Amino acid sequence: MCDIGLKIWSTNTGPLAVAAERLFKEGAFGYIELFAVPGSLATLPEWKRLHEAWGIPFVIHNAHSAQGFNPAKTELAERNLEIFAETKAFADALEAEHVIFHGGTDGDVGETVRQLKAFGEKRALIENKPFVPLENPAGVKFCRGATADELERIIDGTGCGFCLDIGHAVCSANSQGLEPYAFASELARRFRPEMFHLSDVTDMTSPYDAHPHLGTGELDIPRVCREVFLPNAKISIETVRDSLTDLEDFRRDVDFLRSVLV
């Protein structure tokens, strides 16, 4: 039986946290993947209350380049450590099973390995990325950890585990001229992911990432369930949020996923 997770940001306190508590009690999901926004440690007590009151398991997602975290660049090492310290505080307090990282943008993948290894985070997972970013105000050329070879270098060099993002795999495959389902299956076979990220895909030929609701795009999700997901997979649903006051869109995504899981 697959374990479905709710992806939510640490700043989504108030109504969304209340909605998450209700849905967990109703059995809609089995864990929360909490994106640790830098500077949001003041929200930790609310998430800790959910963890302690209801035994909700947590996975923590570290900030990425949009929040200033880029381990591929030497000049950002000090700031990266500061951001990771906050992430670790969330992970420790919430007894997180995994802590997910992105490999950074541009820079050097060897620096990504060096910085992630220096964190000493035994719960670390590296997430695969699209080859090119969607929003590019700083002229970023490419993402680290988009290819199988770079992922292998990061995993071998740090000893971390792997989080396979299906939409990112489709985007990267399109950039590399590879068949998307075959590439996603290759990543699953080579690196045996501890967990997965899932959204639909707006355009199966595009190199750019999007997160539409399940069943609304072009991704053959039943095929992904058959060919890519591992038995008893931990799957975080990573679709757009339609509301800041409820999680009914997430509930519909859960219902769709459960209807096609094999």
Side-chain angles (χ1 to χ4, degrees), residues 16-49:
L16 287 185
V18 171
E21 181 176 6
R22 183 178 68 254
L23 288 182
F24 180 80
K25 289 187 287 185
E26 294 173 1
F29 64 91
Y31 68 94
I32 288 175
E33 181 179 320
L34 190 71
F35 186 94
V37 178
S40 67
L41 273 176
T43 69
L44 179 53
E46 184 160 0
W47 302 112
K48 190 172 181 180
R49 183 191 67 80

Side-chain angles (χ1 to χ4, degrees), residues 115-127:
Q115 290 194 34
L116 293 185
K117 187 174 182 180
F119 291 161
E121 178 53 73
K122 302 299 184 184
R123 299 163 292 190
L125 306 180
I126 187 69
E127 178 183 343

Side-chain angles (χ1 to χ4, degrees), residues 61-81:
H61 196 304
N62 188 72
H64 45 61
S65 57
Q67 291 79 34
F69 180 88
N70 187 352
K73 293 198 172 182
T74 307
E75 62 270 26
L76 295 178
E78 184 175 350
R79 176 57 177 155
N80 293 337
L81 273 172

Side-chain angles (χ1 to χ4, degrees), residues 23-234:
L23 288 182
F24 180 80
K25 289 187 287 185
E26 294 173 1
F29 64 91
Y31 68 94
I32 288 175
E33 181 179 320
L34 190 71
F35 186 94
V37 178
S40 67
L41 273 176
T43 69
L44 179 53
E46 184 160 0
W47 302 112
K48 190 172 181 180
R49 183 191 67 80
L50 293 186
H51 174 60
E52 293 178 343
W54 302 103
I56 301 178
F58 276 79
V59 168
I60 303 300
H61 196 304
N62 188 72
H64 45 61
S65 57
Q67 291 79 34
F69 180 88
N70 187 352
K73 293 198 172 182
T74 307
E75 62 270 26
L76 295 178
E78 184 175 350
R79 176 57 177 155
N80 293 337
L81 273 172
E82 293 172 356
I83 291 173
F84 169 65
E86 294 187 15
T87 297
K88 187 176 187 303
F90 275 103
D92 290 348
L94 298 172
E95 301 177 295
E97 181 180 3
H98 301 299
V99 180
I100 302 170
F101 294 91
H102 290 185
T105 56
D106 294 339
D108 181 78
V109 71
E111 182 64 13
T112 299
V113 171
R114 188 193 71 78
Q115 290 194 34
L116 293 185
K117 187 174 182 180
F119 291 161
E121 178 53 73
K122 302 299 184 184
R123 299 163 292 190
L125 306 180
I126 187 69
E127 178 183 343
N128 62 299
K129 290 292 293 174
F131 202 88
V132 292
L134 178 60
E135 297 180 1
N136 198 10
V140 173
K141 294 181 177 64
F142 52 85
C143 301
R144 291 299 183 183
T147 67
D149 287 346
E150 282 206 350
L151 288 167
E152 182 173 51
R153 186 171 175 186
I154 294 169
I155 291 168
D156 287 350
T158 65
C160 70
F162 180 47
C163 173
L164 173 50
D165 187 298
I166 302 299
H168 291 176
V170 171
C171 294
S172 179
N174 290 331
S175 293
Q176 298 179 75
L178 303 174
E179 200 287 317
Y181 296 102
F183 181 61
S185 295
E186 177 194 357
L187 296 183
R189 184 177 64 254
R190 285 179 64 173
F191 304 123
R192 305 298 294 180
E194 277 83 356
M195 59 180 297
F196 297 82
H197 285 168
L198 180 66
S199 64
D200 214 318
V201 173
T202 302
D203 179 356
M204 285 295 294
T205 67
S206 174
Y208 299 112
D209 190 25
H211 293 266
H213 290 294
L214 304 186
T216 68
E218 296 182 353
L219 184 68
D220 187 341
I221 297 176
R223 180 177 178 181
V224 171
C225 293
R226 294 192 307 270
E227 298 181 5
V228 183
F229 289 156
L230 304 182
N232 303 314
K234 185 184 292 289

